[in-house]
Amino acid sequence: MSLSVPSAPGVKSARTRGASAIDFKSATTGVAAKAMRNELNRMVSEVKDTTQKKIFDLEMQSFFSLFNRYLMEKAKHEVINWDKIQPLAPELVPSYSDLPDTNDTSILEKLVVLKLNGGLGTTMGLSGSPKSAIEVRDGMTFLDLSVRQIEHLNEAHKTNVPFILMNSFNTDDETQRIIQKYANHNIQILTFNQSRYPRVGKESLLPVPRSATSEKSQWYPPGHGDIFDAISNSGLLDKLLEAGKKYMFVSNVDNLGADVDLKILKHVIDSQCEFLAELTDKTKADVKGGTLINYEGTVRLLEIAQVPSEHVEDFKSIRKFKYFNTNSIYIDLEALKRVIDTEGMELDIIVNNKIADDGTPVIQLETAMGAAIKHFKNAHGINVPRSRFLPVKACSDLLLITSDLYSLEHGKLVMNPQRMFAQTPVVKLGDTFKKIRDFNKRFRTVPNILELDHLTVSGDVWFGRNITLRGTVIIVANEGSRIDLPDGSILENKLVSGNVSIIDH
């Protein structure tokens, strides 16, 4: 394993008198990098199986490169210069509505579709299960709906678009078991795993795991920015190129609005765009979402974690930054191969501070997929309608997508034409609805919300059957109190609080 520590310019021996603070930091950086390199080399050397050793070696090299860059940036204390940030010029964010229609289905022959499937359903109360296995609509899971979308695409256009899942070590076993049920479907399913990186002790700056077989909790999947290393290291990128595939559409498995769109794919091809990011209009609910910016003449992704604290409110401004990143991208696979083989990718590092099971502070070094945009030619954004961004991050989102606001068409959620407003309602459910099990218990049936603008629910609240919510509805059960909404209740622009069982409706 050829892990080497780049020598930092101006590093002096720790014994040299009068060394500056910068020299001290650089020397410290060199020592930390060397210690990390030695630990990783030891772990690799202890892997006996040749195939496993090769995979683990590649992962540890990628991790070491990221770790070393983290140390260098920390020593230099580089931060983004807010004064150099500009919103993108309008021509770099064309509107979806301005794209010409196309019936050219031959372009699908060059396409593959990838879903990011590395996350667990932990935040929604499903520990140990992939988020994609959550049942979301009509007895179908995220994975079922994604498969149905691709299957319909292939049937409707007499084509064969492969469906790829990027799993993590957390989701792979269960996902492999689940996808067996699609064996007789008109769909080719491929899988590969994103990398497995060691957690790092915040104080020691050494890997938490002591061997390649250390328990799962000591490792982490390093964010969706790892897709590029992982698809290359797995050999899948080369296989796709050999099969004549040129474009890849990537989105989160929990985004039920992200399906293949011929107009967008045609735009990618016609504009010779190597990397296209789908953006959508920012609302008050999305102010923390990442956005594309012009930084010294280059298109860059800016995440809230990178923003200096004194400029966070500027970042949230809908006036300055109109759009946010949906994490759906189209990427040219030939260009991806070129970038990986020549310049490599240096994606902005996101430091995720965590507490290990034993209480030790650890860090996880992660990257975001959209940050790769700076490496590609003719890269830009496209302003898509909100209907292409329907993520399910919490049970509040689950309420929306299981309601009468939507119907299912070939695995895709379609807005009910009777909805008067284009925007979806804002729904905020309290902690008592956080887990799916509690959500299902507290809603006897999902309310009718076709005319709802805003719903806030807090405390011990129970919904009966066939309830209708309209306008702005706020329901707050005070601590120690309980609110039961009986079957058939209609609440329109109502504030309900205290300890109530509503009878009059």
Side-chain angles (χ1 to χ4, degrees):
M1 179 171 173
S2 55
L3 295 179
S4 60
V5 186
S7 57
V11 176
K12 296 182 182 177
S13 160
R15 296 173 185 272
T16 304
R17 289 185 182 177
S20 69
I22 290 292
D23 290 332
F24 175 77
K25 279 185 177 176
S26 298
T28 307
T29 295
V31 168
K34 190 174 181 182
M36 174 62 79
R37 182 196 62 191
N38 291 340
E39 278 296 296
L40 297 178
N41 281 340
R42 182 188 57 74
M43 285 200 285
V44 170
S45 69
E46 290 171 359
V47 178
K48 299 291 181 263
D49 182 274
T50 314
T51 308
Q52 291 298 320
K53 188 171 195 164
K54 186 181 176 185
I55 294 167
F56 186 60
D57 191 357
L58 283 170
E59 284 183 342
M60 292 307 98
Q61 288 189 51
S62 294
F63 167 74
F64 182 73
S65 173
L66 188 68
F67 176 76
N68 201 63
R69 201 154 52 83
Y70 160 73
L71 291 177
M72 294 292 208
E73 289 175 11
K74 196 175 167 193
K76 291 177 188 169
H77 196 61
E78 286 180 349
V79 290
I80 202 153
N81 185 337
W82 189 258
D83 295 332
K84 293 181 179 178
I85 291 173
Q86 297 297 326
L88 286 189
E91 61 268 21
L92 289 175
V93 195
S95 174
Y96 175 84
S97 58
D98 292 337
L99 299 185
D101 288 320
T102 182
N103 295 316
D104 183 4
T105 58
S106 67
I107 58 179
L108 292 170
E109 296 296 326
K110 299 274 187 186
L111 182 70
V112 298
V113 172
L114 186 148
K115 289 283 186 182
L116 302 170
N117 185 46
L120 294 169
T122 314
T123 53
M124 294 170 76
L126 287 184
S127 57
S129 292
K131 191 175 184 183
S132 57
I134 292 175
E135 204 171 283
V136 285
R137 180 97 196 198
D138 300 353
M140 297 178 83
T141 65
F142 287 113
L143 209 47
D144 292 334
L145 295 173
S146 296
V147 167
R148 183 70 200 105
Q149 285 179 16
I150 303 298
E151 205 173 21
H152 173 68
L153 183 78
N154 288 339
E155 288 165 359
H157 301 300
K158 306 289 187 289
T159 189
N160 182 25
V161 174
F163 180 54
I164 305 171
L165 291 168
M166 183 172 83
N167 302 331
S168 69
F169 65 89
N170 286 321
T171 63
D172 188 55
D173 288 349
E174 184 69 7
T175 300
Q176 297 298 345
R177 193 180 66 77
I178 291 167
I179 62 177
Q180 291 176 35
K181 69 178 179 180
Y182 308 123
N184 296 324
H185 289 237
N186 178 26
I187 188 168
Q188 179 189 9
I189 301 179
L190 305 167
T191 67
F192 69 100
N193 273 15
Q194 69 183 111
S195 305
R196 184 184 70 139
Y197 283 1
R199 283 178 147 186
V200 177
K202 193 170 184 176
E203 299 302 323
S204 68
L205 291 180
L206 290 171
V208 173
R210 298 287 295 147
S211 80
T213 54
S214 292
E215 62 182 74
K216 267 188 180 183
S217 64
Q218 297 181 4
W219 305 84
Y220 70 97
H224 39 66
D226 177 59
I227 181 174
F228 309 112
D229 267 345
I231 198 170
S232 178
N233 290 344
S234 69
L236 184 57
L237 176 58
D238 288 337
K239 285 178 185 170
L240 293 174
L241 289 168
E242 284 164 16
K245 301 301 180 183
K246 183 168 167 60
Y247 302 101
M248 182 165 71
F249 174 49
V250 185
S251 61
N252 294 336
V253 76
D254 67 351
N255 181 359
L256 294 173
D259 66 340
V260 173
D261 188 288
L262 277 175
K263 279 170 59 169
I264 299 177
L265 180 57
K266 189 76 165 67
H267 170 76
V268 169
I269 296 167
D270 291 348
S271 63
Q272 297 183 310
C273 170
E274 293 184 348
F275 191 110
L276 183 80
E278 291 192 22
L279 312 176
T280 196
D281 290 349
K282 197 188 272 191
T283 68
K284 286 181 181 177
D286 317 305
V287 291
K288 292 183 179 179
T291 190
L292 293 187
I293 57 166
N294 177 338
Y295 193 75
E296 298 184 309
T298 306
V299 178
R300 298 273 295 267
L301 175 70
L302 179 65
E303 298 279 11
I304 195 164
Q306 298 167 278
V307 177
S309 54
E310 66 271 22
H311 292 292
V312 166
E313 290 311 309
D314 297 339
F315 174 80
K316 291 180 180 178
S317 165
I318 294 173
R319 283 195 195 90
K320 184 165 185 178
F321 302 110
K322 297 177 188 173
Y323 321 107
F324 75 98
N325 177 33
T326 66
N327 214 40
S328 298
I329 66 164
Y330 283 80
I331 189 163
D332 182 318
L333 294 174
E334 291 172 6
L336 175 59
K337 175 77 174 164
R338 182 196 75 234
V339 170
I340 288 173
D341 286 352
T342 55
E343 61 189 276
M345 283 199 194
E346 291 207 345
L347 306 186
D348 298 321
I349 298 170
I350 300 160
V351 181
N352 196 346
N353 290 290
K354 298 274 190 180
I355 301 294
D357 293 343
D358 64 358
T360 309
V362 295
I363 55 172
Q364 298 181 179
L365 303 178
E366 302 174 9
T367 56
M369 178 173 74
I373 196 167
K374 65 185 177 184
H375 289 286
F376 293 90
K377 296 171 185 172
N378 297 327
H380 57 272
I382 183 164
N383 183 16
V384 298
R386 189 74 182 204
S387 58
R388 290 191 59 76
F389 184 64
L390 297 171
V392 181
K393 302 296 180 194
C395 287
S396 299
D397 303 316
L398 202 56
L399 178 66
L400 291 171
I401 65 162
T402 53
S403 74
D404 56 345
L405 276 179
Y406 297 101
S407 59
L408 263 186
E409 288 182 16
H410 310 298
K412 186 179 181 184
L413 286 180
V414 179
M415 177 71 82
N416 189 327
Q418 292 179 305
R419 170 79 175 168
M420 302 284 285
F421 319 103
Q423 285 198 342
T424 52
V426 174
V427 174
K428 295 177 181 176
L429 300 178
D431 286 347
T432 50
F433 292 83
K434 197 172 180 181
K435 306 281 191 268
I436 289 179
R437 184 182 66 249
D438 298 326
F439 174 90
N440 290 333
K441 276 196 306 193
R442 289 176 178 275
F443 287 106
R444 295 289 298 279
T445 60
V446 175
N448 175 330
I449 60 173
L450 205 54
E451 297 175 51
L452 180 70
D453 297 321
H454 183 113
L455 173 67
T456 294
V457 183
S458 178
D460 189 9
V461 181
W462 299 77
F463 289 77
R465 297 180 185 277
N466 305 318
I467 286 173
T468 300
L469 306 173
R470 297 181 187 141
T472 296
V473 178
I474 299 171
I475 306 167
V476 181
N478 299 331
E479 196 170 341
S481 303
R482 171 174 169 145
I483 293 176
D484 290 274
L485 305 176
D487 297 352
S489 301
I490 297 173
L491 289 125
E492 183 168 0
N493 296 321
K494 281 276 194 290
L495 167 62
V496 181
S497 66
N499 189 358
V500 184
S501 287
I502 297 179
I503 298 166
D504 182 23
H505 59 274

